[in-house]
């Protein structure tokens, strides 16, 4: 198994280092894992003048899976758009056609108190957001800022989806639902936007192929409200790139900490990029206090979805549960007065739990 490792910026390198400890445990048990590191994001701009250097893209194209940290930082905010760290990630998603983005939001029983919602609202929460990742207003043309006839600046982005783009992610949504409670909620804004009228139409066209899955539809504004009103009504949510970006951040907070949530971005042949859904957290970077669990759980998703070693994924999931049960907490998930573990201490605890299995 060849894994491209892209630590990126901010806390990325610190938490990726902890995830690599997990790979070392499996290597020690004889699992054949090769890793090779590449630059992406701000660090790639600094070193190579490009947020996605050709060598990094080639490394990813030749790998079985990509383990990604995080990108971005305030020092890059004034760069022109093509040089921004985010462009590196967006270009990589597009180049590898990673259209299916799985973002689970699960409340660990040990952390139900850490949510900003009441524990009784979120206890047992288990949502899977399937976000389309290579289309929509993120990539639509025309785009840009131009001067109109009146000499005024006008900003343009284009929300666009073809039916084939919608259909292929619809299948991911239905199939994810099939592995779970068989309820799929498609989120759109069809009362206003034609693009999402087509989204809804295609969802309904695909539905007969999955008679065992119950398909419902919800407008995105209502979905944002329902997520904080009664989040447990959702099983799988399928939605477009922009709505999925926003709703997945919202859903993450229900679980207590954005520092706990992994994600998988997959293409049609199973190549995937695995990253925490949180960003580079420049405010805490370099201090050794970031929570590495989202990154470690991203390794679990990598074994499950790209490397097809679900038993290793299960072991990581169990090890993470076990450290939480032991009461080990990084600052983001600690309650006032609770002892706080460093990034490395948390990673070491997961390693110890894996070895003890
Ligand atoms: C995410 C992030 C990215 C996105 C940024 C960093 C480009 O917010 O993965 O959710 O908007 O997709
Ligand atoms: Mg986001």
């Amino acid at each position: 198994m060849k894994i491209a490792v892209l630590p990126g910026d901010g806390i990325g390198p610190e938490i990726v280092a902890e995830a690599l400890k997990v790979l070392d445990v499996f290597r020690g048990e004889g699992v054949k894992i090769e890793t090779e590191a590449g630059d992406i994001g701000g660090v790639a701009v600094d070193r190579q003048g490009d947020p996605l250097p050709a060598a990094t893209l080639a490394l990813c194209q030749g790998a079985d899976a990509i383990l990604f940290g995080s990108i971005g930082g305030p020092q890059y905010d004034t760069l022109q758009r093509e040089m921004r760290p985010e462009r590196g990630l967006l270009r990589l998603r597009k180049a590898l056609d990673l259209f299916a983005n799985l973002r689970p939001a699960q409340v660990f029983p040990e952390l139900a108190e850490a949510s900003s919602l009441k524990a009784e609202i979120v206890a047992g929460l288990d949502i899977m957001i399937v976000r389309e990742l290579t289309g929509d207003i993120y990539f639509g043309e025309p785009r840009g800022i131009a001067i109109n006839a009146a000499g005024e600046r006008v900003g343009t982005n284009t929300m666009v989806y073809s039916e084939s783009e919608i259909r292929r992610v619809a299948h991911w949504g239905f199939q994810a639902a099939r592995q779970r409670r068989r309820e799929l909620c498609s989120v759109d804004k069809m009362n206003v936007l034609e693009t999402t009228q087509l989204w809804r139409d295609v969802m309904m066209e695909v539905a007969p192929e999955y008679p065992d899955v119950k398909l419902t539809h919800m407008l995105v504004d209502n979905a944002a409200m329902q997520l904080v009103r009664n989040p447990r009504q959702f099983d799988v949510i399928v939605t477009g790139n922009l709505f999925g970006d926003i709703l997945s951040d919202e859903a993450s907070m229900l679980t207590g900490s954005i520092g706990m949530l992994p994600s998988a971005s997959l293409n049609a042949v199973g190549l995937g990029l695995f990253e925490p859904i949180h960003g580079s957290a420049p405010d805490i970077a370099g201090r050794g206090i970031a929570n590495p669990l989202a990154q470690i759980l991203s390794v679990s998703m990598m074994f499950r979805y790209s490397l097809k070693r679900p038993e290793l994924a299960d072991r990581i999931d169990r090890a993470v549960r076990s450290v939480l049960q032991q009461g080990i907490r990084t600052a983001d998930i600690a309650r006032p007065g609770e002892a706080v573990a460093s990034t490395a201490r948390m990673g070491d605890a997961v390693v110890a739990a894996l070895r003890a299995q």
Side-chain angles (χ1 to χ4, degrees), residues 103 131 245 249:
R103 298 192 163 194
R131 170 190 175 196
D245 179 46
D249 266 31

Side-chain angles (χ1 to χ4, degrees), residues 4 7 42 85 110 122 144 148 158 169 182 185 207 219 228 245 265 271 307 313 327 335:
E110 297 79 9
V122 297
N148 72 5
T158 303
V169 76
R182 297 173 185 261
C185 180
L219 298 174
V228 287
D245 179 46
S265 306
L271 173 65
L307 303 176
R335 275 184 285 192

Side-chain angles (χ1 to χ4, degrees), residues 71 86 89-90 93 103 131 133 138 241 245 275:
I71 45 155
E86 292 80 5
L89 176 57
L90 293 169
R93 287 173 178 169
R103 298 192 163 194
R131 170 190 175 196
L133 204 58
Y138 269 56
N241 203 344
D245 179 46
E275 59 173 325

